[in-house]
Amino acid sequence: MKHVNTVIIGGGQAGLAMGRCLYQFGVEHVILERGRIGERWRSERWDSLRMLTPNWQSRLPHWHYKGSDPDAFMTMPEFVHHLENYAQSYEAPVQTGTAVTSLEQLSDTRFRVTTDREVWLAANVVIATGFCDKPRIPEFAADVPEEIRHIVPADYRNPGQVPEGNVLVVGASATGLQIGEELLAAGREVTLAVGTHIRVPRRYRGRDILFWMDAMGAFASPANPAVERSMPPPQLIGADDNHDLDVGTLQDKGARLAGRAIGVKGSTVRFADTLHETVRAADEGMISLLAKIDGFIKANRMSVPPAEPDALRPTDLRPAPSSLDLDAEGIRSIVWATGYRREYPWLKVPVLDDRGEVRHEGGITPVPGLYVLGMRFQKRKFSNLVDGVGRDAEDLSLHIAARQSARAA
């Protein structure tokens, strides 16, 4: 049995950022990682995926991109290398290949963390296992004929692994669109079931859209989790040519668009009659955002290029089907790009709400000494992004350091 002030569960960007902040305060800690540093980036991402954020935005506490192309987008191996170098920069006490099997509260000042290697006793525990845990698949997926192949993004690698035939992609945020685009480029016929989404251009007025969001302070502004937790991530792709990716561009590449998938009967998938309304709302949201950027540019008297000619292009939709017979359409696979949920089978402390999420305020749970890090809209609008998780880690490290000082006093 080992003793340490703080146990951090998870060795991705959140866990490493937390460790770096605690290191700054001299708080003894250990980082427990079930696989390797950045394991999900290594083993649960497809081959061609690049970061959605530019290299300059891969900032972490006391660490930033040091390459020669700040506006490009890292591949997954490059980002893993970025994390490995970060861990080496402060000799992070990471124990890889260590799976947590139980987290229990022994008293008001002590937790027991049991792993498949040893047991730790700690005054504080930070759950930094991330937002992208288990695929969230709708219940009606169980009604899909058994001969249809189900694919979730964590298992998708490239079009070559997808069975011959046409593909239904369910979900129109960044993941669904990127996989759909790749399948189209490989010669597959793709139908995209479109739910609520956020449309943004990759670049606007000469700069990356995320530059403007950062400059205006939109990312760092306080979040309202109760309102925003159901918001999808924006439609973006990290690519050398900085091209836009939205439902309109996917339709132009040959995809058939349908409304939100709502059920299956026999071999027929049914879609809600919501496509036009959903796409119109996304178009209007984008136009509103670009108007705010224009206002920011004017207010700050910035010298930048004018808006791109097609920046405000509305999506011109073709007629959408209300249902599809999978067999008749030759659809042999369904990609469920429908988001993620969290699972904590090892968590024995009663802090989960009725949705199975950890209850917290800005990462601080109702149980003294227990924290969570890396959740969407945890405290700020960019809390789960690489560039945002560090801010939350800094706040939590202050709380942990103050708790340690109080205990010492």
Side-chain angles (χ1 to χ4, degrees):
M1 188 173 295
K2 295 187 175 182
H3 296 256
V4 70
N5 179 276
T6 302
V7 168
I8 300 168
I9 303 174
Q13 65 268 17
L16 294 175
M18 190 74 243
R20 182 61 180 84
C21 293
L22 293 179
Y23 169 81
Q24 190 74 10
F25 283 108
V27 175
E28 182 189 22
H29 64 281
V30 65
I31 303 172
L32 305 179
E33 166 55 49
R34 63 183 173 87
R36 298 159 291 178
I37 287 175
E39 184 60 45
R40 284 205 171 103
W41 297 106
R42 297 174 187 266
S43 59
E44 298 182 16
R45 302 293 185 264
W46 59 93
D47 299 342
S48 65
L49 180 63
R50 290 176 177 264
M51 300 294 288
L52 297 184
T53 51
N55 292 337
W56 61 263
Q57 209 173 20
S58 295
R59 300 172 293 203
L60 289 160
H62 305 279
W63 192 251
H64 62 274
Y65 172 74
K66 296 179 173 64
S68 60
D69 199 350
D71 292 318
F73 305 90
M74 293 187 210
T75 64
M76 293 303 94
E78 288 170 340
F79 184 65
V80 168
H81 188 58
H82 183 71
L83 293 181
E84 289 175 331
N85 287 340
Y86 184 43
Q88 293 170 7
S89 73
Y90 69 100
E91 297 182 346
V94 183
Q95 286 201 1
T96 56
T98 303
V100 171
T101 58
S102 177
L103 168 58
E104 304 164 278
Q105 184 182 21
L106 300 183
S107 68
D108 290 342
T109 60
R110 192 68 64 187
F111 296 91
R112 179 167 60 203
V113 183
T114 304
T115 76
D116 56 2
R117 294 174 59 180
E118 57 208 350
V119 177
W120 291 85
L121 292 183
N124 306 291
V125 175
V126 181
I127 300 172
T129 52
F131 177 77
C132 299
D133 190 1
K134 302 295 182 182
R136 179 186 287 114
I137 301 175
E139 291 184 3
F140 65 77
D143 298 327
V144 173
E146 61 180 17
E147 63 268 19
I148 301 297
R149 170 84 173 273
H150 297 256
I151 302 172
V152 295
D155 295 334
Y156 174 78
R157 295 294 173 269
N158 54 65
Q161 77 177 114
V162 179
E164 292 296 322
N166 301 330
V167 184
L168 170 63
V169 177
V170 180
S173 288
T175 296
L177 292 186
Q178 288 188 52
I179 293 176
E181 182 183 50
E182 187 166 86
L183 290 169
L184 286 167
R188 303 300 185 91
E189 291 186 15
V190 173
T191 299
L192 180 70
V194 179
T196 304
H197 59 277
I198 296 175
R199 179 188 174 193
V200 294
R202 179 72 265 182
R203 294 179 68 83
Y204 183 65
R205 300 194 68 170
R207 301 302 296 265
D208 193 276
I209 190 67
L210 300 186
F211 166 84
W212 296 116
M213 300 291 287
D214 185 69
M216 294 191 302
F219 280 142
S221 60
N224 183 345
V227 174
E228 297 169 323
R229 68 164 59 102
S230 61
M231 290 177 58
Q235 296 174 327
L236 284 172
I237 183 172
D240 291 336
D241 63 359
N242 287 300
H243 71 274
D244 292 342
L245 186 61
D246 52 48
V247 296
T249 58
L250 212 64
Q251 180 181 252
D252 292 343
K253 291 174 181 287
R256 173 173 47 187
L257 304 183
R260 178 172 52 88
I262 56 175
V264 177
K265 185 174 183 179
S267 64
T268 299
V269 179
R270 295 182 294 111
F271 305 104
D273 185 21
T274 55
L275 179 63
H276 286 76
E277 176 185 346
T278 300
V279 171
R280 183 175 64 251
D283 287 352
E284 291 173 352
M286 181 189 71
I287 291 169
S288 175
L289 171 63
L290 299 186
K292 291 177 182 178
I293 294 173
D294 289 338
F296 176 81
I297 291 170
K298 183 177 180 180
N300 289 276
R301 300 180 178 180
M302 300 175 70
S303 178
V304 297
E308 290 76 0
D310 61 345
L312 304 181
R313 172 182 57 84
T315 306
D316 184 17
L317 294 172
R318 302 190 186 108
S322 59
S323 64
L324 282 180
D325 186 309
L326 300 174
D327 189 44
E329 295 290 337
I331 293 174
R332 299 290 176 260
S333 306
I334 299 179
V335 176
W336 299 102
T338 43
Y340 295 88
R341 57 185 174 83
R342 265 59 53 208
E343 280 188 359
Y344 306 96
W346 41 265
L347 180 57
K348 311 304 179 184
V349 185
V351 291
L352 298 182
D353 62 18
D354 56 3
R355 299 175 298 116
E357 304 284 2
V358 176
R359 289 182 287 118
H360 68 91
E361 289 290 336
I364 303 171
T365 79
V367 176
L370 182 61
Y371 305 85
V372 66
L373 181 63
M375 296 293 99
R376 287 193 77 210
F377 304 112
Q378 174 167 311
K379 189 171 184 178
R380 300 170 174 89
K381 293 185 183 296
F382 69 157
S383 281
N384 71 303
L385 300 182
V386 173
D387 190 43
V389 72
R391 298 277 192 92
D392 290 352
E394 289 168 350
D395 293 346
L396 293 185
S397 67
L398 287 169
H399 197 276
I400 291 173
R403 175 176 159 83
Q404 177 175 272
S405 296
R407 291 181 65 224

